Amino acid sequence: MTEESEGAAARVSTTGWPDVMKAAIWPVFALIAVAIFFTPISGILRNTADKATLNELNMGPLQVKLSAAAEKLRAPAPAIAKMVAGLDSAQVEELINWNENALSVQFCLNPAPLGDPRWGRLTDDYVRGRIEDARAYRGMIEAGIFTAEPVETQPTGCSDSVAITPDGLRAKHFLLDLLTNALELSTK
């Protein structure tokens, strides 16, 4: 190394250190701040997410809000809450539409598949609807909302007597109460 290059290396190394220190100090402070405040900040975010609720929903021109009566609704018993929470939209619709005056109805819980000649000239949409209804009822029977007993007098072997259980009625009444007393509907 020549004397000139040694001097240049010495100047770079001695004059570069303050610049390197300045450049490195802010990331060090940032890391220290993250380490110190990570737990409190993450706790605040977690608590906020846990307590966040949906009070309003806009669906095009329709606005749906939780009414003040929603806070006064009596919580369902744990068994009823479990039943209701396990329902899909088709099952909710079938449950709400159940005629409470009927002791039981005859229903085909295991219909023939789409395309089976027993459906005759019924449209595929109609057949799909009956198959979906049967699926919905089978799920609600499994959940204890309905009971089913085979009806032996039917020649097709596809008819069951379906009846709502007392817990099924409680679940229906809770859903109706929720829909009729807890929601305010309006247009924008």
Side-chain angles (χ1 to χ4, degrees):
M1 212 181 231
T2 66
E3 201 174 294
E4 187 176 297
S5 65
E6 284 176 5
R11 278 193 307 273
V12 168
S13 65
T14 58
T15 59
W17 276 108
D19 293 334
V20 170
M21 292 291 282
K22 285 180 191 175
I25 202 137
W26 75 266
V28 171
F29 281 121
L31 288 173
I32 291 171
V34 167
I36 292 171
F37 295 112
F38 178 77
T39 303
I41 290 172
S42 64
I44 290 168
L45 293 175
R46 225 181 352 270
N47 287 336
T48 303
D50 290 344
K51 293 177 184 174
T53 58
L54 176 68
N55 292 324
E56 185 176 319
L57 175 66
N58 293 311
M59 302 166 56
L62 181 64
Q63 187 174 36
V64 181
K65 290 182 182 180
L66 282 179
S67 71
E71 293 180 16
K72 296 176 186 169
L73 282 178
R74 193 170 52 146
I80 304 303
K82 184 177 179 183
M83 280 181 179
V84 170
L87 297 176
D88 63 26
S89 60
Q91 292 168 327
V92 168
E93 183 178 353
E94 292 294 335
L95 180 57
I96 287 174
N97 289 329
W98 178 265
N99 180 356
E100 290 184 37
N101 295 321
L103 297 176
S104 66
V105 296
Q106 287 189 341
F107 193 82
C108 184
L109 293 172
N110 296 300
L114 185 65
D116 189 288
R118 289 177 280 183
W119 287 109
R121 295 184 176 188
L122 298 172
T123 66
D124 285 352
D125 286 342
Y126 177 84
V127 173
R128 280 188 199 93
R130 300 303 62 81
I131 292 170
E132 175 58 24
D133 290 347
R135 184 210 55 80
Y137 274 99
R138 284 192 310 270
M140 290 187 291
I141 289 166
E142 208 172 281
I145 294 172
F146 289 99
T147 60
E149 297 293 327
V151 176
E152 303 297 331
T153 59
Q154 295 296 318
T156 61
C158 183
S159 189
D160 293 279
S161 177
V162 177
I164 196 164
T165 65
D167 279 348
L169 275 175
R170 287 183 197 94
K172 176 183 177 171
H173 293 162
F174 172 75
L175 287 171
L176 287 172
D177 198 27
L178 179 68
L179 291 171
T180 57
N181 294 320
L183 300 180
E184 292 177 3
L185 304 175
S186 62
T187 56
K188 291 181 184 177

